[in-house]
Amino acid sequence: MKLNPSFLGIALSSLLAIDLWASKRLGVCAGEGSAWGSARPLMKVIEISGHGVPWLLGTFYGLCQSDSSAAREVLLNLLFALLLDLVLVAVVKGLVKRPRPTHNKMDMFVTISVDKYSFPSGHATRAALVCRFILRHLVLAVPLRVLVVLWALIVSISRVMLGRHNMTDVLFGLLLGYALYSVVEHCWLSPLSAPALFALWSH
């Protein structure tokens, strides 16, 4: 069975229209005068918790302070994952060039040129990537594991609530981050595969 190209175009246009409409309705913290405008400061704190800069700085600091070779291996791969995420998201944003939602306020925390584009959500990719990484490589009690998953979901949802992204930006970002972790695992850096790199961090 072949689908009519015009039908596909209409279907995609309809889905895009629904995405834009629903995203605007869900942007309840997009401004101080929005339905949940009073929660906007809290949403911006959540926004920072998923931003690349704190994660990069924290991981780098941990690398510099760690005395354990096992911990350094995990942190070095987390740093690799975060850098790979930044590059990939920037490339996709530059290629797709989807504008931010019209109701978004450009008051985001530490932005670069491609951050004027919306697709995909870098916060969502990072949240999914970091969530999988932590659950795989840190030994955590069940309540903490649940909190990590909730954090990733809340960061992703906050992107739509703040008006930063449309829903499809976030959904694709989550899928991309989830898949990106598999790439990191496949390319896992170890003292055997990258001895020169690990030598830089040896004390």
Side-chain angles (χ1 to χ4, degrees):
M1 176 179 158
K2 293 184 178 180
L3 293 175
N4 189 318
S6 61
F7 171 79
L8 287 175
I10 293 171
L12 288 174
S13 296
S14 299
L15 288 174
L16 179 61
I18 292 170
D19 177 37
L20 295 175
W21 173 81
S23 300
K24 188 168 185 178
R25 291 292 300 271
L26 292 171
V28 291
C29 300
E32 287 75 8
S34 302
W36 293 7
S38 58
R40 184 173 169 80
L42 175 60
M43 290 294 108
K44 293 192 73 174
V45 171
I46 294 171
E47 176 177 58
I48 293 173
S49 79
H51 196 281
V53 170
W55 278 100
L56 285 169
L57 291 178
T59 304
F60 185 79
Y61 178 79
L63 264 174
C64 294
Q65 296 298 313
S66 177
D67 292 323
S68 163
S69 58
R72 284 198 299 271
E73 182 174 339
V74 171
L75 287 168
L76 190 59
N77 280 278
L78 177 57
L79 184 63
F80 167 64
L82 293 169
L83 291 172
L84 185 62
D85 168 64
L86 283 176
V87 171
L88 184 59
V89 169
V91 168
V92 176
K93 281 186 175 183
L95 290 173
V96 177
K97 290 183 168 64
R98 186 184 195 185
R100 294 269 179 184
T102 54
H103 55 287
N104 174 51
K105 290 179 67 177
M106 289 300 290
D107 58 349
M108 296 175 289
F109 175 75
V110 187
T111 59
I112 58 175
S113 59
V114 292
D115 285 329
K116 63 185 177 183
Y117 300 124
S118 178
F119 185 91
S121 165
H123 279 70
T125 63
R126 191 173 303 108
L129 172 64
V130 169
C131 179
R132 283 196 73 189
F133 193 101
I134 289 176
L135 294 180
R136 175 67 178 82
H137 294 286
L138 293 187
V139 179
L140 299 174
V142 172
L144 290 178
R145 294 174 73 85
V146 171
L147 284 176
V148 170
V149 175
L150 284 176
W151 167 79
L153 292 174
I154 290 170
V155 166
S156 300
I157 293 169
S158 73
R159 308 312 291 154
V160 179
M161 293 179 68
L162 278 168
R164 307 297 198 205
H165 292 279
N166 297 303
M167 291 191 303
T168 48
D169 303 331
V170 172
L171 290 174
F172 185 84
L174 286 170
L175 291 174
L176 183 61
Y178 188 90
L180 190 57
Y181 172 78
S182 299
V183 175
V184 173
E185 280 290 299
H186 181 73
C187 302
W188 187 263
L189 303 174
S190 71
L192 292 177
S193 63
L197 191 58
F198 278 84
L200 293 173
W201 302 101
S202 61
H203 294 290

